[in-house]
Structures are given as C-alpha cells and as structure tokens.
Amino acid sequence: MPSGVDQVMPNAARVYDYWLDGAHNFAADRALADKIQQVLPGIRDAIRVHRAFLRRAVQFLVDSGIRQFLDVGSGIPTVGNVHEIAQRANPECRVVYVDKESVAVAHSELLLAGNDRAAVIQADLRDVEKILDHPQTKRLLDLDQPVGLLMLAVLHFVPDSWDPAGIVARYRDRLASGSYVTLSHATTDGSPAGLAEALRFYEQTPEPMYLRGYDEVLRFFAGFELVESGLVGCAFWRPSGPGDSCNSTEMNALAYAGVGRKP
Amino acid sequence: MSADPPAQSGLTVAGLAHVWAAAASQTTYLPVSGDELEQLLTRLINRLVTAVAAAPTDEQAAIEVAAELVARDLTGSSSISRSLEVLEDGLPRLAELQHVGQRGAAISRVLSTLAGGYAEVLRQRTLDEQAEVTQALLQAKLGTERELWISEARFRQVFSESAVGIAISDLGGTVVTANRAFARIVGRTVDDVVGTALPKLLYSADQPADEPTLGEAYHKLASGELTQFRRQGQLTAASDEVAWIFLAGFLLHDPEGVPTHHVITTEDITELHLLQQELGRQGLHDRLTGLPNEYYFMSRLKDALEAADPSAMITVSRVNLDSFSVINDGIGVTAGDFLLCSIAARLQELFAGERAMVARIASDDFAILIEDDTQRDLSQLAATINTRLSEPVYFGNQGIAVSVGIGLVRRRAGGISAGELIRAANTTLHRAKRVGPGQWDLYDMEYDIRQRERCQLAAEIPGAWENGEIDVHYQPLCRLDDGGIVALAAVLRWERADGSVVGHSDFLELAEQTGLVVSLGQWILEKTCSVHVQALNHRREKPPLLRVDLTAQLSQDPDLVGVVRAALVATGLGAQQLWLGVPLTALTRGHGDVVDNVRTLAELGIKIVLIGAQADHGYLAYLEDLPVGAVEIAPDIVARIAGRPGNDLLVARAIRQVISLVRSTGVTVIVPGVDTPEQAQWWRDAGADAALGTHFGFPAPPFDSH
C-alpha cells in the first residue's frame, strides 16, 4: 500500500478529529491520541478552543465581505467545517479545501458530493502554483477578488528547511488586495507540562511537529496587517461566548492565532 | 402555562438555557456562537417541558431532543452527563412545570428516555462516521491505485509504442517482458521473446578482439562486473537475417538497492550501418547477401593455392539452388532475395570458425573454399549442407524450402590453378544437377575429360556449320500395314574434318547443351525444308511429307512460329507438308510458350508429333487440350519391348492400352527404332500406325531417299 494511504499509521488529522469527539478515526489514531492526552490532559480543551477560533475567524471574514475561501491543510472534515460555517453565514460563499493526505481528500470528496460551491484538491501546500492554478480553484475562486486564505494548525508540520514564511509569501503574492490570511500555529511558549513528551509521540508519526515561538509565528504575517486582536492565544482572539475558551490558560494559548489583511 | 405561582427557587426557561449552554460548551466544541447555542437549548427545553406535561409523558419527544443534541454536535464525552445534571436540577424548578402532578417522576421518565435515546443516536452516528472514514480510506486507496494504474498505463504505452527495442530480463537472463520494437529487431514475436534466454537472442560477429561480445557483455552485467554497457553489434534475427543494433544494458534495482532485473535497450541501426559499409563492401561483396563475390572468391582461392603447402588439400564446393526461378517467379523476387540471404547466412554458419570462405558467385550460385581440408568426409559435408539448406525459411506465413545441387572437388594445392579448380567444381555440379534435384557429386576425372571433350565439340559447332560440315539426311517413316512411305524424317549428320561423324541426337544434345540450338533452329528448318523441296522436284509420285524434330529448347523458343513461317516462305514448302516433332518433356515442364507454339503451328496447318511418349497415361490430357496430329513412342520403350517380345511385360500391356486410347482420338501412333520384321509385326498388332527404323530404311542423303 502506498505510504499516502496507511491505515495502520496514526494520522494527525484523524487524531484531531478524535479529540473533537468525532468518530472519523481508527484504533491507531485513538491510541496515539489517548497517549498524548495522558501526558497532556488539557489537549482536548486546546483543540476545542482552537476549533472555536476557526468558527469565529470565518464568521469574521464573512462579516468583512469575504465570499471565497482557500483552506490549505484542511485535514479531514470534522465538526464545524469552513464551508458549513461560511455557507450558513452566506450561502454564496465558495470554499476550496487543500490537503495532501489522500484519506482526508477522499473523505472530503464524500462530504462535499452535491455541494457545487465547495471542492477539495489533493496537493502539497508547497505546490502554490499547482493549487492556485488548479481547475477546481479556477472554477470556484476568482483570484482577482479578495480571498480568505486559511492555514490553520498546518505550518507547525512544516520544517524550517521548507521555508514556511516563503511559502506563505508565495500565496500572499498571488492574492488580491483586501485578501486575508487566517493562521494558527502551536507554540512551546506557554511550556505546559507534558508538551515535550507529547511532541515525542508525534515524532513517531509521519508528521512530526515543529513548534515555534511568538516572533517566528509573527513573521508569517509579513505583508499582512494583523486585525484586532493581533496574534494571540487562539482562545483570546475575539472571544464571544463560554465555549470559546477553557479554564486552562496554557491550553487557551497552546496555539497562536491571528488574522491578517493584505493591504 | 400554569396559573400556579412559580416555585420558591424559580427558574425561567431562558435562565436554564443559559446555564446549560455554559456547561455544554465546556464539554466539547460546538460550531455555533454562544447566542445561537442558547436559542437552540431554549427550544429544546420547551419541547422537554411539553413532553413532561403531557399525559402520558411524551417519550418520543425526548428521543427527538436527544437526536437534535447529537445532530448539533453536543457529543463530547461528558456532554450528556453534564446536560442531564443541568436538566435534572433545572426542570423541576421551572415555573412551566409547577402545575404538573408527580412531576418528579415524569421528569425522570423523560430524562431517562432522553439519555437512552442519546446513547442510541450517538452510537448510530459513530457507526456512520466510521463507515464514512472507512469508505474514504477505500476511496483513497482506489484513487492511489488508479493513479498508479494511470502512470503504469502511461509507461506501458511508451514502452509498447517506443521505436527503441526494450527487453527486461530476470537476473538469469530470461526475458520477462519486451516491447514490439525489440521483437521486431530480433525478428520474432513478443510472445516468442518472452521466456527466451536473452543471450540466445544476442550474438555478435566481426568483433574487435579487444571488446567483449554482446553475450559476454551481457554476462558481465549479470555477474555485476559491469553496471551498464553500450555498444554496437550484430543480432541474429530468427529469420537468420542479421540486424545491426545499438545496444545498451543496465541493471534494475529494487528499493533496497538489490539488482532484480536487466534492461536491454536496442535500436536497429542496420540501415545506417549498411550505408557506412556499402562503399567498402561493394567492390568485394555481394550486395544482397553481404557475402564475398566471385571476384573476391577467386582472388582468395588464388592466394590460398599459392600460400598453401603443395601437399595440402583444398576443397572447393559449388552449391546451386534447384529451380530458384520457381521461387522468384512464383512467390516474388523479394521472397527470392530473402531466401538467398537465408542461405548465405546458413552456409556461413556451417563454416563459421573454419578456414573457409563462403561466396555468392552468381544469382543462385554459391561457392565454398575450405583450406587445409584433409580429414573431412565429403559425403558427410554434402549431406550436412543439403540438410541445413532444405529446412524451410519463413517468408511471411510461407515456408520456402529449396534443394540444392552440390559439386565437390578436393585437390592438392600444388599443381592446379584456381581456374581449373573452379571449373572442375562447376563440371561436378552440372553432373550432379543432371541426375536431378537435391543431388551432389564428387569430382570424377574421367567424366571430366569426357565432358571436356563434349564441350570442345559443342564449341566447334558454329564453325562446323559455317564450313558446311553439317548435313541433312532423310529416313523414311512408313505405314506399318503396307510399308508405304508417309513422311521423310530429317536427320542431322555432322561429319568432322577428321572423318568422325556426330549423329543426329548427339548433335542436337550438344547444341542444346551449349544453347546454340536456338540460333541453329532457323538454319535447321530452312535447310531441311529447302532440301526437301529440292528432293520433291526430282520426284513424280505423290510427295511424302517432311518431318523435322525440335529440341526442348527450340519448342519453347518464343520466336519459333516466326522462324517456321520464314522457312516455309523461303522454301515454298506448304504447311500441310510439314510435321514438327515436339518433345513431351518440353510440355511436361509446363512452359507456356510450348503450348502457345503448338497451338499456333497447328493452326497454320502443320501436323504436331509429340515425341517420347512413355507407357503411362500422363500425356493423354495434351491430346484433349492440344491439336496434336501424332504421338511417337519413346525409344527406350521400343527397345525394352524388342528385348522381350510378347505381351508378358507390364510395359507391353500398358503400351497397347495407351495406343488404343490414343488412336481412339484419331491421333496417329508412330514407333521409332523398328529394326526387325518381328518388331514391325508386334507394333502392327499393338495398333500403331507408322514406324521408323532400319527395317524401313537407313537415313540417307536426299537424292537417294525413295
């Protein structure tokens, strides 16, 4: 079986789904998730508040007039997907999902069947041109108009050798003025107990994580103007209700999040 | 709504919804804003209130609320327990339920139904999501396999359509897969190539000594001594044609770096190679087969004779295809060329590794020089050549096989010239050919001398003709019943300057052998006709007819009709007065010109005599198809019956039968060589009409013939 489709190997997207109480996962995913949860008990809360950030950010973008979204590193469709949030806010919204993992892509295809305003592309996020010039992208997105680019919890899987800031810049250069980037990234800054051990579990998967500090994450917004509340722990980005945060400060800020606008 | 006052610790639905939302949103991610969540929960609380107030309690409503909780993603591990806590505490305090009797029990029933329903719906959703992700996994697998398949298919197409021949073999050298181009280059089908050992398909000749052969290079590749090689070389195709190829070989490795297969790529550069070689080869080589030509062969033969120890034995063999024209005319020149190339390759193969040269010295003539050839059993050699060459070669679907005549000469190198040696080989070949197809012969000096004399004699014919040494005599052809002369048969007689005489049949055979007979034909006809006309002028009685026999070559001469007419016109002889003898052998060889000639001559009024009839029925068809006037029995049949008169011979009984059949068609039967009254009697009894022979008269000069 090709490495892209490996039922036995745990997969970060399916682990994430499990923490979100989804059932789109396999025994190996749950085993890894449980191990991490043992050493980092707050992880479910951290994932939940991160997901809540996604909802608020998409809502913010729709409120700001954005009608087209490009979600790079979308993972498997789990609760509260971008197109559900955006299209509930405005049915005209169009969404292109991008992931390199074939199960996630196949799953997204199943989910999106019959939705002619959303599509999924299988690609590596480094293939900026392939993604932006893909027929599905051309069908759904007008790059002359502002786009909401989403890169949520994905750049912490990108090593420095790939030049993640350069990758973001390549997207930025192709986007129209008035476009937004929405970005979240796990960090070691809060140094919660058990994080280092949790990361070691990730090292055994095909997707090791590269956590970064505040300044490093901030650099990804180069060429964008951060909107209010800036780059913050994701629970603290424009909170709107009790579910947007949890009672652990460390978990509320396990991932930095921000939204930047291309002037 | 109840008219009763709210309970002491009264709670509104909105208040309960607020508390529930705060609790629930900590248990899991809910993809809605806080306000939306409260609105949702308010609606659900109202439904539960109605369900509790109903009599009996509406448990179906409780199940529907459970389903909505799951649908709204209130599915965290503690979502339901936290929700039940909030509801168990809050519902009894709602003003809306204060009027309901036994409300504690009713609430309990509804909430336990809610919990049970929630578990069932969540189990269903989990199963659905598991099915969904499994389906996604399968889909992804299929997608990945499809991509592999597409890339595989693309590779397959490139592989099969490529003009470059590609063969992949296992490490043992057995071809696992090959494309069409490769099969074409080695002259086989793909199916044939697969499963064949690659070294069998590769072979090299004209190899520079310092380079490995293709086979060796391949073995070095197989043993790991080389990781790749590139070279030019020759490949023997299955058809024995030689292809020049550019060839590269390399190893295929598995992901762990272990060699698993060889890949051989080939390009057919035969045409390019031929172009390069042509100028150099034209002078000394035959262009079709690439073999040395006659010039090269003779100079090599001279060199070999000079260089050899005078006591060393040298063998020269001449190989000539039997009825090559049948292939060329019947199947086509391309097939003929193909056959010649195959024969060239096979002969070369037979003598590969020997001090020998195989040459093509004329169209269907090959010669082989073997130096220092003392021990070889020549009969064995002849058998080997004939066996190898008689294996059919396939031209398209057509298997072509020919037999060959072989002449072999082995002589000491001292005391014989190259010219004598090749001439001796030629003579021997011709003697073998005379016996029939597929024959071989060894040089026989006595025969050679006799043959040389005959050839000398034949060479003298033109001069003898010029000098008037050739005369026409006449022999009477008489009716068997009353002995009356029917015709006079012209007989050629050559009295040489030394007084020796060459008789009619010898003379014609010589003339036929040398090919002179065709140019003599006109002369023979004119001479015999004019002599006959002169003779007639001296006679008073009813003029006898003139019979002139044609040879096989003359019978098929396309100009025969013209020659005969010219003779008739020149001499004034009437066509009705002429009988022309046509050998049956000329007809049975199936030459169309003979048939045409016979028809046209008969139309002129000339009587056609088929001569040389055997005791079989084979020729009777000609009597039906052609305007034949007479049939003459073959002299050997007549001689046989003369040796054992009577009817006990099978031949005798057969010939009587044939005669009666022939006569029944109105065709005259003539018997030659009847020398005794007994013979004449026998043939008369057998039903023959007329006869020639000493019993009726010797050949004589014209003025004595009556």
Side-chain angles (χ1 to χ4, degrees):
Chain A
M1 195 190 283
S3 60
V5 183
D6 197 335
Q7 190 175 347
V8 179
M9 293 295 276
N11 168 273
R14 293 194 300 263
V15 167
Y16 189 89
D17 171 73
Y18 175 67
W19 282 329
L20 282 172
D21 299 312
H24 304 112
N25 44 68
F26 299 113
D29 305 312
R30 295 191 286 271
L32 176 67
D34 288 343
K35 274 194 228 169
I36 292 169
Q37 204 177 340
Q38 273 174 18
V39 298
L40 194 61
I43 184 69
R44 271 181 184 266
D45 287 331
I47 298 300
R48 174 170 60 79
V49 300
H50 178 264
R51 195 69 175 172
F53 160 73
L54 163 65
R55 184 186 58 74
R56 296 196 305 281
V58 171
Q59 185 66 52
F60 165 79
L61 293 173
V62 176
D63 292 345
S64 305
I66 296 296
R67 296 290 177 270
Q68 38 186 9
F69 295 84
L70 179 64
D71 184 357
V72 177
S74 50
I76 65 166
T78 185
V79 56
N81 287 297
V82 173
H83 74 282
E84 290 166 0
I85 298 162
Q87 290 176 352
R88 195 169 65 199
N90 187 321
E92 291 300 310
C93 288
R94 299 173 306 280
V95 181
V96 173
Y97 292 106
V98 180
D99 206 284
K100 69 172 178 182
E101 203 268 325
S102 38
V103 178
V105 171
H107 200 163
S108 305
E109 277 171 354
L110 289 173
L111 187 85
L112 299 176
N115 189 333
D116 58 3
R117 293 205 179 85
V120 61
I121 296 170
Q122 184 169 9
D124 189 297
L125 86 171
R126 287 173 288 177
D127 294 335
V128 178
E129 285 71 32
K130 176 182 169 183
I131 291 166
L132 293 178
D133 297 328
H134 194 281
Q136 293 285 28
T137 311
K138 294 196 157 176
R139 179 172 72 84
L140 291 171
L141 308 186
D142 176 2
L143 296 184
D144 294 332
Q145 298 298 319
V147 170
L149 170 65
L150 306 170
M151 301 183 91
L152 295 169
V154 66
L155 290 176
H156 52 231
F157 293 108
V158 174
D160 286 340
S161 57
W162 290 8
D163 184 18
I167 294 170
V168 177
R170 280 161 63 206
Y171 283 102
R172 181 197 65 212
D173 292 347
R174 289 283 304 269
L175 298 182
S177 172
S179 292
Y180 289 87
V181 65
T182 301
L183 200 150
S184 65
H185 195 293
T187 181
T188 50
D189 285 357
S191 37
L195 180 59
E197 214 180 323
L199 287 178
R200 275 202 296 280
F201 286 121
Y202 268 102
E203 276 164 23
Q204 297 157 18
T205 75
E207 296 137 316
M209 291 179 80
Y210 305 91
L211 303 198
R212 295 184 172 90
Y214 186 88
D215 291 339
E216 286 178 286
V217 177
L218 192 59
R219 281 200 298 120
F220 298 148
F221 288 93
F224 293 99
E225 291 165 353
L226 278 168
V227 302
E228 187 59 36
S229 339
L231 180 63
V232 291
C234 61
F236 307 125
W237 193 89
R238 298 185 178 218
S240 71
D244 293 343
S245 59
C246 63
N247 52 19
S248 157
T249 311
E250 287 168 345
M251 291 305 126
N252 282 332
L254 187 60
Y256 288 124
V259 176
R261 180 179 181 278
K262 180 176 176 178
Chain B
M1 297 292 153
S2 170
D4 294 349
Q8 193 180 357
S9 50
L11 189 65
T12 61
V13 169
L16 180 55
H18 183 76
V19 174
W20 190 6
S25 61
Q26 291 295 318
T27 64
T28 190
Y29 165 67
L30 297 169
V32 287
S33 70
D35 289 349
E36 284 170 314
L37 182 60
E38 282 186 32
Q39 283 166 25
L40 166 70
L41 295 181
T42 300
R43 191 161 53 76
L44 294 183
I45 291 167
N46 282 329
R47 289 204 67 185
L48 288 174
V49 165
T50 311
V52 169
T57 48
D58 186 353
E59 301 193 9
Q60 183 56 37
I63 291 173
E64 285 167 16
V65 169
E68 185 136 16
L69 290 177
V70 172
R72 295 302 183 137
D73 300 305
L74 230 99
T75 53
S77 53
S78 57
S79 297
I80 190 63
S81 54
R82 286 290 293 120
S83 297
L84 288 173
E85 277 170 36
V86 167
L87 292 173
E88 274 167 4
D89 178 56
L91 285 178
R93 291 159 58 199
L94 287 178
E96 286 81 353
L97 289 178
Q98 295 310 312
H99 69 284
V100 176
Q102 306 244 324
R103 67 172 182 275
I107 290 170
S108 222
R109 260 199 313 278
V110 166
L111 289 186
S112 70
T113 305
L114 172 69
Y118 178 90
E120 177 56 25
V121 175
L122 185 60
R123 196 179 68 84
Q124 281 297 336
R125 186 171 97 155
T126 304
L127 288 177
D128 289 349
E129 288 188 353
Q130 283 280 304
E132 206 176 294
V133 70
T134 306
Q135 194 185 348
L137 180 79
L138 280 173
Q139 202 94 335
K141 249 176 88 173
L142 285 177
T144 311
E145 275 160 15
R146 187 163 169 276
E147 266 168 47
L148 268 183
W149 184 86
I150 288 170
S151 93
E152 172 94 341
R154 205 176 289 137
F155 168 74
R156 273 275 144 204
Q157 193 173 1
V158 170
F159 181 76
S160 74
E161 301 301 326
S162 172
V164 175
I166 305 168
I168 300 175
S169 69
D170 62 23
L171 290 182
T174 303
V175 176
V176 177
T177 181
N179 66 359
R180 285 204 288 270
F182 184 85
R184 191 179 61 242
I185 290 168
V186 299
R188 301 183 185 218
T189 65
V190 171
D191 287 346
D192 276 355
V193 169
V194 171
T196 306
L198 201 46
K200 262 195 192 168
L201 302 168
L202 302 174
Y203 137 98
S204 183
D206 291 349
Q207 189 70 42
D210 53 340
E211 275 195 69
T213 63
L214 288 181
E216 284 165 4
Y218 180 79
H219 284 301
K220 285 189 176 175
L221 198 64
S223 69
E225 216 174 311
L226 285 174
T227 52
Q228 61 169 59
F229 68 86
R230 303 171 76 81
R231 50 169 304 128
Q232 279 190 30
Q234 270 183 313
L235 201 67
T236 37
S239 62
D240 285 344
E241 275 186 310
V242 171
W244 276 92
I245 56 167
F246 183 79
L247 185 133
F250 53 91
L251 283 167
L252 274 187
H253 301 87
D254 69 9
E256 279 73 46
V258 179
T260 57
H261 292 90
H262 294 99
V263 180
I264 301 287
T265 64
T266 57
E267 270 177 278
D268 191 339
I269 52 165
T270 305
E271 290 193 1
L272 180 69
H273 184 85
L274 285 181
L275 207 61
Q276 284 170 345
Q277 298 289 311
E278 194 173 50
L279 285 177
R281 293 165 68 88
Q282 262 178 10
L284 295 173
H285 288 86
D286 163 44
R287 270 207 234 179
L288 176 65
T289 61
L291 290 180
N293 60 16
E294 185 182 17
Y295 175 79
Y296 191 1
F297 183 84
M298 289 308 288
S299 79
R300 172 76 175 271
L301 181 56
K302 269 180 217 153
D303 291 350
L305 288 171
E306 276 170 27
D309 182 296
S311 65
M313 302 299 279
I314 284 189
T315 301
V316 170
S317 170
R318 286 269 284 100
V319 175
N320 176 268
L321 275 55
D322 293 322
S323 46
F324 178 60
S325 61
V326 171
I327 309 279
N328 257 349
D329 299 348
I331 307 179
V333 177
T334 318
D337 287 353
F338 177 75
L339 178 68
L340 290 171
C341 289
S342 304
I343 285 172
R346 287 176 174 186
L347 286 174
Q348 271 191 311
E349 182 193 292
L350 281 178
F351 295 97
E354 297 202 43
R355 287 184 64 194
M357 174 188 263
V358 177
R360 179 178 178 226
I361 58 177
S363 151
D364 55 355
D365 274 326
F366 296 86
I368 303 148
L369 161 66
I370 311 169
E371 295 175 55
D372 209 12
D373 191 48
T374 314
Q375 298 299 324
R376 191 190 304 269
D377 176 350
L378 290 183
S379 64
Q380 189 62 50
L381 174 67
T384 307
I385 293 176
N386 229 330
T387 307
R388 181 73 181 105
L389 297 192
S390 62
E391 288 164 22
V393 294
Y394 284 86
F395 183 73
N397 294 328
Q398 207 151 17
I400 313 170
V402 286
S403 59
V404 292
I406 304 168
L408 290 160
V409 186
R410 181 189 289 160
R411 296 293 295 270
R412 285 190 199 291
I416 189 164
S417 72
E420 284 171 314
L421 198 49
I422 194 78
R423 195 197 54 73
N426 289 349
T427 311
T428 313
L429 172 69
H430 289 140
R431 193 167 59 141
K433 298 278 286 186
R434 199 161 302 148
V435 177
Q439 299 297 313
W440 65 278
D441 210 341
L442 272 176
Y443 177 69
D444 172 338
M445 197 179 301
E446 221 177 275
Y447 173 84
D448 187 34
I449 290 168
R450 222 167 43 233
Q451 217 33 44
R452 284 171 85 167
E453 285 173 357
R454 280 184 72 80
C455 289
Q456 256 169 18
L457 209 54
E460 288 173 22
I461 289 178
W465 170 24
E466 287 280 319
N467 297 335
E469 290 176 14
I470 297 160
D471 260 331
V472 180
H473 282 199
Y474 292 90
Q475 187 169 25
L477 175 69
C478 300
R479 281 190 297 273
L480 277 167
D481 54 0
D482 63 3
I485 295 177
V486 185
L488 294 173
V491 176
L492 296 174
R493 185 173 183 278
W494 175 17
E495 188 170 343
R496 298 174 69 207
D498 64 2
S500 63
V501 172
V502 178
H504 177 78
S505 42
D506 266 357
F507 177 80
L508 285 181
E509 195 188 326
L510 279 174
E512 183 103 357
Q513 257 178 39
T514 56
L516 269 172
V517 75
V518 174
S519 44
L520 278 176
Q522 187 178 358
W523 176 82
I524 292 169
L525 279 164
E526 279 187 17
K527 176 90 177 171
T528 52
C529 290
S530 73
V531 170
H532 189 67
V533 169
Q534 284 168 32
L536 292 184
N537 292 340
H538 291 268
R539 306 172 70 104
R540 289 249 158 234
E541 67 262 48
K542 185 183 171 207
L545 306 169
L546 170 66
R547 169 173 163 182
V548 179
D549 288 350
L550 303 172
T551 66
Q553 277 187 41
L554 269 177
S555 310
Q556 68 193 45
D557 180 4
D559 297 330
L560 178 66
V561 174
V563 168
V564 171
R565 283 179 118 145
L568 292 179
V569 170
T571 61
L573 188 73
Q576 286 77 12
Q577 289 180 285
L578 182 62
W579 285 17
L580 281 179
V582 173
L584 255 170
T585 50
L587 269 176
T588 52
R589 272 179 221 153
H591 207 290
D593 285 343
V594 183
V595 172
D596 291 346
N597 282 341
V598 165
R599 288 222 165 90
T600 317
L601 292 170
E603 275 168 26
L604 292 178
I606 295 167
K607 187 163 176 170
I608 300 298
V609 184
L610 292 185
I611 52 183
Q614 295 291 330
D616 63 355
H617 299 73
Y619 58 89
L620 294 179
Y622 294 120
L623 304 188
E624 284 187 342
D625 295 347
L626 296 174
V628 174
V631 166
E632 185 177 89
I633 309 295
D636 55 319
I637 300 275
V638 178
R640 192 176 171 89
I641 290 170
R644 280 179 72 180
N647 290 324
D648 55 332
L649 275 180
L650 210 55
V651 168
R653 294 209 293 274
I655 203 79
R656 292 178 83 111
Q657 206 181 0
V658 171
I659 288 171
S660 109
L661 285 171
V662 170
R663 293 207 61 236
S664 72
T665 65
V667 172
T668 308
V669 176
I670 301 168
V671 187
V674 175
D675 297 334
T676 65
E678 292 75 26
Q679 272 182 286
Q681 183 61 48
W682 192 94
W683 286 105
R684 186 162 56 240
D685 291 348
D689 298 290
L692 287 155
T694 52
H695 174 63
F696 298 102
F698 286 87
F703 293 105
D704 295 322
S705 59
H706 21 187

